[in-house]
Every structure is written in C-alpha cells, then in structure tokens.
Amino acid sequence: MANRLKIIRTVSSLRRALELQGRPSDRVALVPTMGALHRGHMALVREAQRRSKRVVVSIFVNPTQFAPNEDFASYPRGFATDLKILRDAKVDFVWAPPVEVMYPDGFATRLAPEGAAKAGLEDQFRPHFFGGVATVVAKLFTQVSPNFALFGQKDYQQLRVVTQMARDLDLRVKVIGVPTIRESDGLALSSRNAYLSAAERTVAPVLHRVLEGCATRIKSGEKVDQVLSVGRIEVDVAGFVLDYLEARHALTLAPIGSRKEGPIRLLVAARLGKTRLIDNIGV
C-alpha cells in the first residue's frame, strides 16, 4: 500500500477517483496546501487520517492570493519531494490541478469575504489576499466535497475566514484548526522560513517569545494596551519591521480591550529582511 498515492489533475478524474475508491459512507478529509511541505503540513495530514478513511492533499500555488509585488514566482516549490513525503505517509490522493483547470479561460467569479476578512490585520497589508483564498478554498470544497478540511492555526485569520465562508455558504464540511507546529526555539513552521538568512533565523523566534510574554502579562492582569505597547517596542528593537501586534476576540477578530471582552488571540506580523513572518497564540 506504500505506493497507492494517486496524482490527479482534472476535476472529472478527481470525482471519479473518489467515487471508485472506498464506500459511499467513508468520510473524506481535505488538506489544502501550496506545497513545499513541512512538519506542519504533515500534522494536518495525520489529523486528517485520524478522522477519515480517504485523505486528499491539494497542492496548488494559488496566483489569485498574491499581489503583483509579492512572491508568487519565487514561492518555494518542490513537487517531487512533496510526493515522496505524501507517499511515505500513505496519503490516498494528491489533487494537483494546473492553473488552467482552476481558472480556465473566461473565469469571472470571485468571493468577497467580510467579517474576519476585514479585521484590519492581514487584510490591511494584503487587501487582495482573502478574496483569493476564499475563492480557491470554495472551489476546493466543491471539487472534493470533503467531510473535513484541515487548516493550521498559524494562519489564524485565514482559518476564521474559511470557517465563516463554509458556514455562510452552507457547505457540508467541518473546518478544523490544527495547532501550530514549531521549531524547538518556538519559530512557527512556514514554507517562507526558507527565505531567512542564517543571522535572521537566529532572530526570528523573538516573535513567538514576545507573544508569550504578552500573553503572560495579560493573564496576570496588566492592561492590554500597555502590554501591546511594550511588545511592539520589543519587536522593533529585535530588528523587525512590524506590521501589527494586536489582541483580538478569538472568534470574531474584533478589537478587544480587556480579558472581560471574551477569549483573546494575540496576532503578529513583521518583516525580517525580505521575509514576512506571522504568528499568533491564545491567551
């Protein structure tokens, strides 16, 4: 069974393969990725396999979520390596559509999510991003028709947007957030970590340490605004260019001023050299 992995390139082949393999009652889990797989992705795969008999891992670097000045052309890709990792993990299907399959000539529909997608976090710096994400994920959900879809909590705003989108569109899929996988020094795993120089890699874990320190101080009763002010200075002093460090309601991502206003999620995004890093933790 080690070589059972099927690589699928067209929607009709995908649906036919899912119909032929397994019983109709067997549940299907989807792990959407853009490839360049690492231990974080494989944690999603393991959770998918725990929940479902059939697992689909999609590999598609989605051009509609990149702005013209972003790293679409240089985004890490390693399809052959990804396939070996997935084959070793005994994954059933790799859904790897070409761009022309996902966005054929004449494609003219794009979702415009609001709510968490307009929270003033990633959307403030990447206003194109969540429209591209919501559109491609909605397509993946309708192509695969999964019972479960697994997303990492590292991209926390994305997780909230996708969860709301599935709910709003009455899609029969349960979106599940899987805790962030980290290096031993706390750095959240990301395909973009490959961009970091050796010197930058030693500095990068500061983001997580700042989040942990902020969470500890908030839990001890310090005022949220004061804690965040200190945290922003710490990020700046470490050599990052800060985009945001915010405390938000963990479900709605609305601004939050105190612990009394609901469960808190701390979110940060900052640039280190040419690499943009994001992270978050719950309080």
Side-chain angles (χ1 to χ4, degrees):
M1 297 296 289
N3 296 314
R4 67 182 180 179
L5 183 71
K6 294 181 182 293
I7 298 122
I8 305 171
R9 302 283 192 175
T10 69
V11 176
S12 59
S13 296
L14 173 68
R15 290 173 173 163
R16 185 163 58 250
L18 288 171
E19 289 170 359
L20 291 175
Q21 182 166 326
R23 298 166 302 180
S25 60
D26 288 344
R27 293 181 294 186
V28 176
L30 169 67
V31 179
T33 84
M34 294 205 299
L37 302 181
H38 51 64
R39 288 187 291 116
H41 295 111
M42 299 318 293
L44 305 182
V45 169
R46 287 192 298 274
E47 180 62 19
Q49 291 173 325
R50 190 182 72 81
R51 291 175 177 270
S52 304
K53 286 186 175 294
R54 292 177 290 174
V55 172
V56 179
V57 175
S58 65
I59 298 178
F60 181 68
V61 183
N62 178 35
T64 67
Q65 67 192 60
F66 290 80
N69 63 331
E70 291 184 335
D71 60 342
F72 174 72
S74 62
Y75 188 84
R77 292 167 171 84
F79 191 65
T81 301
D82 292 342
L83 292 183
K84 182 181 185 308
I85 291 170
L86 295 173
R87 186 171 285 114
D88 290 346
K90 296 182 170 57
V91 166
D92 304 294
F93 306 103
V94 170
W95 171 223
V99 172
E100 58 269 22
V101 168
M102 292 298 277
Y103 302 113
D105 286 345
F107 185 89
T109 301
R110 182 180 176 91
L111 296 185
E114 298 187 358
K118 300 285 189 178
L121 298 167
E122 286 299 288
D123 52 292
Q124 183 178 352
F125 296 89
R126 307 179 70 195
H128 59 285
F129 180 69
F130 289 116
V133 167
T135 300
V136 77
V137 171
K139 284 179 67 71
L140 291 171
F141 286 176
T142 56
Q143 291 162 348
V144 177
S145 298
N147 302 93
F148 304 104
L150 292 298
F151 290 82
Q153 290 181 355
K154 183 182 75 69
D155 299 288
Y156 193 79
Q157 188 177 7
Q158 172 179 280
L159 173 62
R160 299 311 312 158
V161 169
V162 169
T163 301
Q164 187 70 44
M165 181 269 292
R167 182 182 301 128
D168 289 349
L169 299 183
D170 300 316
L171 301 179
R172 297 179 65 179
V173 56
K174 180 177 178 59
V175 176
I176 297 166
V178 177
T180 302
I181 303 299
R182 301 182 180 278
E183 301 286 6
S184 59
D185 57 11
L187 178 64
L189 291 184
S190 169
S191 300
R192 287 189 171 94
N193 290 350
Y195 298 157
L196 294 168
S197 69
E200 290 165 349
R201 176 62 186 81
T202 65
V203 175
V206 169
L207 276 189
H208 185 241
R209 291 201 291 271
V210 169
L211 287 177
E212 286 187 316
C214 289
T216 298
R217 294 197 293 272
I218 290 171
K219 284 188 284 189
S220 71
E222 293 186 40
K223 292 184 177 180
V224 172
D225 287 348
Q226 293 177 356
V227 169
L228 294 178
S229 293
V230 173
R232 289 166 186 146
I233 293 170
E234 291 173 337
V235 172
D236 182 64
V237 168
F240 293 85
V241 177
L242 182 67
D243 283 350
Y244 58 81
L245 170 58
E246 297 287 342
R248 296 299 182 92
H249 190 283
L251 297 180
T252 67
L253 296 187
I256 199 164
S258 75
R259 292 184 65 191
K260 297 177 182 179
E261 295 177 31
I264 297 176
R265 200 84 185 180
L266 299 177
L267 304 101
V268 66
R271 296 181 184 276
L272 188 58
K274 295 181 179 179
T275 307
R276 187 171 185 273
L277 302 174
I278 64 171
D279 204 349
N280 67 88
I281 62 172
V283 176

